[in-house]
Amino acid sequence: MVCTLYRRQPRRDPSSTHSWFLPEKLPMMRKPEGSPASNGGAKLRKGLWSPEEDDKLMSYMLTNGQGCWSDVARNAGLQRCGKSCRLRWINYLRPDLKRGAFSPQEEELILHLHSILGNRWSQIAARLPGRTDNEIKNFWNSTIKKRLKTSPPHRELGETTEAMMPSREHELMVVGMDSSSSSSSSVHPLSSRTFCDILFPAMTDGPGYGTAGVASGSHHMPVENIAQEDGLYANVAQEVIDMDGLMAMGGEQYFVPPLVSSSLGENATNAGISYQNPSRNISDNCNLNNTGTNEIIQGTSFVRSEIWEGHEDLRVGEWALEDLMEDISSFPLLDFQVE
DNA sequence: AACTAAGACAACCGCATGTGA
DNA sequence: TTCACATGCGGTTGTCTTAGT
C-alpha cells in the first residue's frame, strides 16, 4: 500500500507575527500519565504534555526565562524532569519555531548540509532557522531517507562528487565525518589539527579574518580561538565551516550556510548567533533569562556580526533561503555520506 | 465500517561533555 | 583529581493520523 506524504496541520499559526503565540490545544495523542494532583508530587510524569503543562512551562519561561532546567521544572510546578522541560521547550514551545512542511529549499538545504555534516542534526538545525534538530531528524528518517533510496542523492541536487571529491577522499572517510553509523555525533578522537590538515590543506581566511590567499595554508585561525568564539565542537571541519562559511577543498571555496539564531535559551553554540538585524533581535521581545545567557548571546552575536558582515541578509527566523541556496549551489555533495 | 500499513512526530533513553564543589 | 550534576545530542520507540483495501 502506498500512502501519500502529508504533514499534519501546524499546531500554531506560523504566519503570526507576534513573538509569542500560545499553542492550540492539542488532541491527546497519548493520555498523560496521572494528574499532578494525584501523584503527590513525588513521581515525575512522562509521556505527552498536557495543554496545562504547556501553559505552565510557557508562562514560566515568559516571566523567568531559562535557568537551570531542574529549577524550571520545580518552580513552574511541573511534575517533570528538567530534561523533559527542556525538550518540550526546544522542540515545541519555543516562540521562534517555524511549523509546517519543509519548503523545497529547506529540503534541499537539509540534503546538502547532511552531505557535509552527516547526522549532526543540531548543526544542521542551527542553519535552518525555526527548525529543531528533532524535526529535521524526523524528517530525514521518515521522508528523505526513503526518497534517497529511490533516487540517488547527487541526481537530485545536481552534479557532485566523484569529480569534486578531494583527492584524499579515503582519508575523509576514515578520519572524520562518518555518518554511516548511528554514532554520528561522535567527535573523532584524532586531533582536530590533524583532521584539519588532512581535510583542508589550503584553507582560506574568511571575512573578518583577513584576506590571505586561498592557498596560503598557513593562516588557519588557531583551533582554540575558533572554538572559543563559536563554542563549537572540537571538530575542525565544523570549525572551518562555522568560522567563515567557506570550505576550501582542492583550492576551491565552497559556501556553507552560516549558523543562525533559532533557538532561544540554548547555549551560544546552537542559539542566538547572528543577529544581523537588530530590529529583529529576539531578545528585544523576550526576556530570555536573568542569569546572563542573554548577555552571552549578545556577545556572541557581536562576534558573529563581525564574522558575517558580508551576509547582511541574515535574519532571525526568516532566512533568505533562495539566496542561501544560490550561495551553496556551488558546494558539491560529498558522497562520503553513507546511508 | 473495520482493518491495516505506513507516515508523522512527540518524547524517552543513553551517552558524552562541561562545570563547579 | 574526583565526583555529582546539568545540559546537549543523536538514536530509538511509541502513538496517533491517514489513506487504501
Side-chain angles (χ1 to χ4, degrees):
Chain A
M1 185 197 319
V2 177
C3 292
T4 55
L5 296 180
Y6 74 99
R7 284 183 72 91
R8 294 177 193 171
Q9 286 293 319
R11 292 185 173 123
R12 285 178 284 150
D13 178 13
S15 65
S16 168
T17 55
H18 197 276
S19 298
W20 293 88
F21 35 90
L22 289 173
E24 296 170 15
K25 300 305 178 189
L26 306 181
M28 282 297 112
M29 292 177 69
R30 189 193 314 164
K31 193 175 180 181
E33 298 171 9
S35 66
S38 66
N39 62 20
K43 194 159 188 176
L44 295 178
R45 288 162 56 101
K46 283 186 173 184
L48 286 192
W49 281 63
S50 69
E52 291 75 22
E53 288 178 304
D54 280 345
D55 287 345
K56 279 184 181 176
L57 181 56
M58 178 77 94
S59 56
Y60 181 88
M61 295 297 290
L62 268 170
T63 51
N64 299 282
Q66 179 195 325
C68 172
W69 281 109
S70 53
D71 291 342
V72 169
R74 195 180 317 117
N75 297 336
L78 293 161
Q79 271 69 42
R80 296 273 182 173
C81 66
K83 213 171 176 178
S84 181
C85 293
R86 173 185 165 270
L87 209 63
R88 185 63 177 171
W89 174 255
I90 290 173
N91 287 334
Y92 191 80
L93 295 176
R94 239 173 52 200
D96 58 330
L97 286 182
K98 183 197 295 181
R99 310 296 294 195
F102 284 90
S103 69
Q105 288 90 349
E106 284 177 312
E107 287 188 33
E108 190 168 346
L109 185 54
I110 290 170
L111 277 164
H112 218 92
L113 290 171
H114 188 271
S115 72
I116 299 162
L117 300 172
N119 289 7
R120 274 171 273 195
W121 305 115
S122 63
Q123 295 290 317
I124 295 173
R127 292 173 171 79
L128 279 158
R131 302 296 188 180
T132 68
D133 53 354
N134 205 34
E135 193 177 11
I136 294 169
K137 179 173 59 182
N138 283 333
F139 181 60
W140 180 271
N141 287 330
S142 66
T143 305
I144 297 184
K145 227 174 179 178
K146 291 183 178 65
R147 198 181 302 166
L148 290 183
K149 279 180 183 170
T150 56
S151 80
H154 36 285
R155 299 292 171 266
E156 286 194 0
L157 291 179
E159 289 306 313
T160 56
T161 59
E162 288 80 5
M164 308 279 296
M165 278 297 285
S167 59
R168 299 184 183 184
E169 174 181 3
H170 61 285
E171 290 175 294
L172 298 185
M173 301 281 289
V174 173
V175 170
M177 297 177 176
D178 175 17
S179 59
S180 61
S181 72
S182 61
S183 58
S184 58
S185 64
S186 60
V187 174
H188 199 277
L190 262 180
S191 85
S192 49
R193 171 65 71 193
T194 304
F195 186 23
C196 186
D197 290 342
I198 293 171
L199 252 181
F200 309 114
M203 198 181 93
T204 69
D205 288 1
Y209 290 91
T211 54
V214 167
S216 69
S218 59
H219 289 79
H220 298 178
M221 171 178 256
V223 167
E224 302 76 28
N225 292 356
I226 300 170
Q228 268 186 348
E229 298 211 354
D230 280 346
L232 297 173
Y233 293 79
N235 177 312
V236 165
Q238 188 55 48
E239 285 162 357
V240 169
I241 291 166
D242 285 343
M243 88 183 252
D244 56 14
L246 291 170
M247 198 168 171
M249 268 186 197
E252 303 262 357
Q253 293 181 13
Y254 305 109
F255 180 76
V256 174
L259 292 170
V260 297
S261 167
S262 62
S263 48
L264 286 172
E266 290 202 56
N267 64 24
T269 301
N270 292 324
I273 296 182
S274 35
Y275 295 124
Q276 292 289 327
N277 182 347
S279 67
R280 289 186 58 83
N281 190 329
I282 290 176
S283 61
D284 289 344
N285 299 327
C286 313
N287 176 17
L288 264 185
N289 65 43
N290 44 23
T291 61
T293 305
N294 208 356
E295 289 75 13
I296 291 169
I297 289 174
Q298 286 176 339
T300 312
S301 167
F302 174 70
V303 172
R304 275 291 170 183
S305 295
E306 289 208 327
I307 294 173
W308 289 101
E309 59 189 346
H311 302 270
E312 309 223 338
D313 283 337
L314 280 181
R315 289 184 292 272
V316 175
E318 72 181 73
W319 209 2
L321 280 173
E322 292 77 11
D323 296 344
L324 179 59
M325 293 311 297
E326 262 183 44
D327 285 337
I328 69 170
S329 62
S330 63
F331 199 100
L333 271 180
L334 305 179
D335 261 357
F336 49 78
Q337 177 54 44
V338 182
E339 275 300 309

